[in-house]
Amino acid sequence: MDAVDEAGSGAHPIYANAPHTVEFNKLRKRLIRNVREAIEKFGMVRPGEKWLVALSGGKDSYGLLALLLDLKWRGLLPVELVACNLDQGQPNFPKHILPAFLEGLGIPHRIEYRDTYSIVTEKLPAGATYCSLCSRLRRGNLYRIAREEGCTALVLGHHRDDSLETFFMNLFHGGKLAAMPPRLLNDEGTVEVLRPLIFCAEDDLQKFSDAMAFPIIPCDLCGSQDGLERNAMKAMLTDIEKRMPGRKDVMIRALGNINPSHMLDTKLFDFSALFDKRTTP
């Protein structure tokens, strides 16, 4: 039987305790379809390569790992997967949860400790939002680990809503049109960043996480939260989706359906060349 048709039957051990319900199977199929679309559309896979899957302990990274393992189990993802958690020294971080989870399921992994939390608190004033600097330090360490593990790609759990929030933050506060790309190369050109969840809805990932009963580690152990700007974008998008259901899907598709001649960027379209194309009546 197809692993997506019945949770827990012919599936990776991570699905052993997944619900045997029609509703869950539909959710799982939808997420798998979204991930496969992203992988295929953006050409993420080269068979035989090795991916480092960043695992923070949050719903998105757990969902990412489970969905990639699902595809690999079914022979649809011909790459090697290594899960990686970077313990950044946040106060009260439960160090035992992720190793126990990964070891219990026989998932190849690497757990690394780097006290970036102390660096962040030294550089930023009390009460400041730590997330941006913390993220940059984490990314640098993950690039290093990927190289040490022989991985060509670092795989992150950013989803559709993350990309849309970034787009509107850039639009409203940065004066540019840019979102989270599905693929990018780090500055050194040594590691690629992949986002296979780019078409997945955050609500779906939350439902998936709840159903799978992942051992979630909260993201606010350090007492810091995402900045007010991102929270405002999230609230705005939630309101739009509530008043006009389906708008988020339309917006994420719009990011891949750009008409340069109908924008205002002369680097993308040569408006002056229209003189040469104009015909006299």
Side-chain angles (χ1 to χ4, degrees):
M1 181 177 292
D2 192 321
V4 172
D5 289 336
E6 183 171 341
S9 177
H12 187 278
I14 199 171
Y15 289 93
N17 297 316
H20 293 258
T21 64
V22 172
E23 181 180 7
F24 177 76
N25 288 334
K26 287 182 177 179
L27 171 65
R28 185 176 170 190
K29 284 182 180 181
R30 183 165 62 250
L31 287 168
I32 285 290
R33 184 170 61 249
N34 292 152
V35 171
R36 289 190 69 186
E37 180 185 1
I39 287 174
E40 292 169 7
K41 182 172 184 176
F42 302 111
M44 295 183 182
V45 172
R46 282 188 293 184
E49 291 194 339
K50 190 176 182 181
W51 290 2
L52 190 76
V53 183
L55 185 64
S56 67
K59 71 180 191 311
D60 303 328
S61 63
Y62 274 123
L64 171 67
L65 180 62
L67 294 166
L68 293 180
L69 288 171
D70 198 339
L71 287 173
K72 184 171 175 60
W73 186 268
R74 298 167 63 208
L76 298 173
L77 186 63
V79 300
E80 185 178 348
L81 301 176
V82 178
C84 178
N85 173 253
L86 181 66
D87 177 353
Q88 296 180 260
Q90 295 98 330
N92 303 314
F93 183 79
K95 299 177 181 294
H96 64 287
I97 289 180
L98 290 173
F101 176 80
L102 295 166
E103 290 166 9
L105 294 171
I107 298 172
H109 64 278
R110 175 169 169 176
I111 307 293
E112 175 138 344
Y113 176 78
R114 281 290 185 275
D115 184 10
T116 63
Y117 176 75
S118 295
I119 297 173
V120 171
T121 53
E122 287 174 5
K123 291 185 176 296
L124 296 177
T129 299
Y130 299 155
C131 302
S132 179
L133 179 56
C134 181
S135 178
R136 290 199 297 273
L137 293 172
R138 178 171 63 250
R139 186 73 62 86
N141 276 287
L142 288 172
Y143 287 152
R144 172 184 55 79
I145 294 169
R147 291 191 294 268
E148 292 174 358
E149 292 291 329
C151 296
T152 56
L154 168 63
V155 191
L156 303 178
H158 295 127
H159 46 66
R160 178 198 69 182
D161 299 59
D162 289 324
S163 189
L164 290 175
E165 289 162 18
T166 299
F167 173 80
F168 282 104
M169 286 176 66
N170 282 319
L171 176 65
F172 292 160
H173 303 287
K176 61 182 178 180
L177 299 182
M180 284 183 174
R183 291 179 64 180
L184 65 87
L185 197 61
N186 71 337
D187 293 339
E188 293 79 15
T190 55
V191 179
E192 198 172 357
V193 174
L194 304 178
R195 295 185 171 102
L197 301 184
I198 202 71
F199 291 135
C200 296
E202 183 174 16
D203 286 347
D204 279 351
L205 290 166
Q206 183 65 67
K207 292 173 185 175
F208 185 71
S209 175
D210 292 342
M212 292 286 285
F214 293 131
I216 299 296
I217 297 173
C219 65
D220 61 348
L221 294 172
C222 61
S224 181
Q225 296 288 339
D226 282 344
L228 294 177
E229 292 177 1
R230 182 168 291 276
N231 289 337
M233 297 304 103
K234 182 181 288 291
M236 181 192 72
L237 287 165
T238 298
D239 180 62
I240 291 173
E241 186 70 16
K242 182 177 180 180
R243 291 187 290 110
M244 296 179 286
R247 292 314 96 182
K248 287 183 181 180
D249 275 336
V250 172
M251 286 187 275
I252 199 69
R253 301 298 170 183
L255 295 182
N257 187 24
I258 298 169
N259 189 339
S261 68
H262 285 58
M263 303 298 283
L264 310 180
D265 193 336
T266 56
K267 297 187 297 296
L268 298 179
F269 186 80
D270 186 0
F271 292 93
S272 63
L274 291 175
F275 282 121
D276 300 328
K277 296 179 181 180
R278 189 171 62 190
T279 58
T280 302

